[in-house]
Amino acid sequence: MLMSSRAARRRRRPLEAAGRRLDRIARTILPRRHPRRGVRGDEPARVLMPRGLASLAKESGIGAAMRHQETAVRALGHEVVTNPLRPFDVVHLNTPFPDTPLLAHWARLWRRPVLMWAHSTEEDFRDSFPGANRVAPLFRCWIAHLYRRGDLVVTPSEYSRGLISRPQYGLRAPVRVLSNGVDTTFFRPDPGARRRPRERPGPWTGGARGGQRRDAAGAQGDPRLGGGGEARCRR
C-alpha cells in the first residue's frame, strides 16, 4: 500500500508541474490576470458588458435589460467596459448565444468573477413557436450549462428562481432575484396625457368640438349618426 501511494504521488507530480508552467505562461501573457490589490471599497469597478453576439438581441427584452444594467452601473459611478481585451473586474453575461461560455471562460482565465443573468427558462421557451416543445429539453440543457458558468446567477423574479433552482439545472452558485427594471425617464406620470386626446376635434372624442360636430351632423340628417331618422319614419 505504501508503494502504491508513492506511485500515485509520482504520477500526480508531472501534472502539477505542468499546471505550474501553464500558470507562469498565463502570467506572462496576461500580466494583470490577478485581481487588483489595494483597491478601496469606494473605488469604481470596471464592469465588462461585452457586445459580441449580444448586439443581435438589442431590440428584445434582454437587450432592454442590458441597457438598464449599463444605466444602473454608470449611475453607481462604475465604469462600463465593452471590449473583453481591456482590463475589467467583473463581467455581466446575459444572452444564451454561443459566445457566452467563451466569455465566461475568458473571465475565468483572468480570474474575474462572472455574474450570469438568467433571463430564460425551459417553461418560457415552450409554446414559443411550432415545434418548440420538442427541443425545449435541449434548450434547458444549454441554458443550464451557461448558468453553471456563473459565480452568481441573477434572475428577474421569484418564479424564475424557483424554476432554475430545480435539480435539472444543477446550479451550485447562489441565485439572487433582481428585477430588470424600467426606464423611469420614459415611463413616468404625465398629468396632461388624459386631457390631450379629449381636446382633439373629432366624433370619437368627448370634447366640445366633437359634440358640436355631432350636433351639426345630426341636424343635417347624417344616417351614420342617427340624424333625420325620425323624419323618415314619419313619412
Side-chain angles (χ1 to χ4, degrees), residues 2 7 17 19 21 39 47 55 73 83 101 118 121 128 139 154 209 212 223 229:
L2 180 61
R21 285 196 295 270
V39 180
V47 182
S55 59
V73 168
N83 186 353
T121 63
S128 57
F139 179 74
V154 180
R209 294 180 181 177
Q212 293 173 1

Side-chain angles (χ1 to χ4, degrees), residues 3 8 18 24-25 28 67-68 84 101-102 108 126 133 139 145 163 198 224 227 230 234-235:
M3 295 181 63
R24 286 195 297 269
I25 293 172
T28 303
R67 290 191 293 272
H68 295 165
L102 299 178
R108 296 283 187 186
R126 288 183 177 275
N133 293 351
F139 179 74
H145 170 73
L163 293 178
R198 292 183 170 89
R224 294 175 298 175
E230 185 179 356
R234 283 200 295 265
R235 281 186 293 178

Side-chain angles (χ1 to χ4, degrees), residues 135-191:
V135 297
L138 298 178
F139 179 74
R140 173 180 49 79
C141 292
W142 169 248
I143 59 177
H145 170 73
L146 299 182
Y147 299 162
R148 287 194 295 267
R149 307 278 76 78
D151 297 292
L152 178 68
V153 180
V154 180
T155 190
S157 67
E158 291 287 349
Y159 169 73
S160 58
R161 179 167 70 169
L163 293 178
I164 65 176
S165 298
R166 294 183 306 174
Q168 293 89 330
Y169 285 83
L171 301 184
R172 296 182 178 179
V175 181
R176 299 290 184 265
V177 176
L178 181 63
S179 171
N180 291 328
V182 297
D183 185 1
T184 55
T185 61
F186 181 81
F187 296 100
R188 66 182 187 278
D190 186 358

Side-chain angles (χ1 to χ4, degrees), residues 17-203:
R20 287 193 295 270
R21 285 196 295 270
L22 289 175
D23 188 72
R24 286 195 297 269
I25 293 172
R27 291 188 184 189
T28 303
I29 298 174
L30 305 173
R32 299 186 216 175
R33 185 167 66 102
H34 297 282
R36 291 188 294 173
R37 301 179 184 275
V39 180
R40 301 190 310 272
D42 58 347
E43 186 172 348
R46 301 166 298 187
V47 182
L48 175 61
M49 294 185 172
R51 297 291 188 262
L53 295 179
S55 59
L56 299 176
K58 62 182 180 179
E59 300 299 331
S60 66
I62 294 179
M66 293 171 60
R67 290 191 293 272
H68 295 165
Q69 293 169 24
E70 291 189 15
T71 302
V73 168
R74 291 193 173 96
L76 293 173
H78 301 299
E79 177 187 357
V80 174
V81 180
T82 58
N83 186 353
L85 299 180
R86 291 182 54 195
F88 62 93
D89 300 311
V90 61
V91 59
H92 287 224
L93 299 176
N94 286 268
T95 61
F97 295 146
D99 63 338
T100 295
L102 299 178
L103 291 166
H105 183 72
W106 176 250
R108 296 283 187 186
L109 185 62
W110 282 75
R111 295 186 180 177
R112 298 296 190 263
V114 178
L115 195 154
M116 190 71 67
W117 290 82
H119 298 284
S120 304
T121 63
E122 178 186 1
E123 285 71 17
D124 295 336
F125 184 80
R126 288 183 177 275
D127 299 322
S128 57
F129 59 88
N133 293 351
R134 292 182 175 272
V135 297
L138 298 178
F139 179 74
R140 173 180 49 79
C141 292
W142 169 248
I143 59 177
H145 170 73
L146 299 182
Y147 299 162
R148 287 194 295 267
R149 307 278 76 78
D151 297 292
L152 178 68
V153 180
V154 180
T155 190
S157 67
E158 291 287 349
Y159 169 73
S160 58
R161 179 167 70 169
L163 293 178
I164 65 176
S165 298
R166 294 183 306 174
Q168 293 89 330
Y169 285 83
L171 301 184
R172 296 182 178 179
V175 181
R176 299 290 184 265
V177 176
L178 181 63
S179 171
N180 291 328
V182 297
D183 185 1
T184 55
T185 61
F186 181 81
F187 296 100
R188 66 182 187 278
D190 186 358
R194 299 182 64 182
R195 184 182 67 255
R196 284 193 294 269
R198 292 183 170 89
E199 294 177 349
R200 295 171 187 165

Side-chain angles (χ1 to χ4, degrees), residues 217-230 232:
Q220 295 173 3
D222 190 341
R224 294 175 298 175
L225 300 177
E230 185 179 356
R232 285 195 299 270

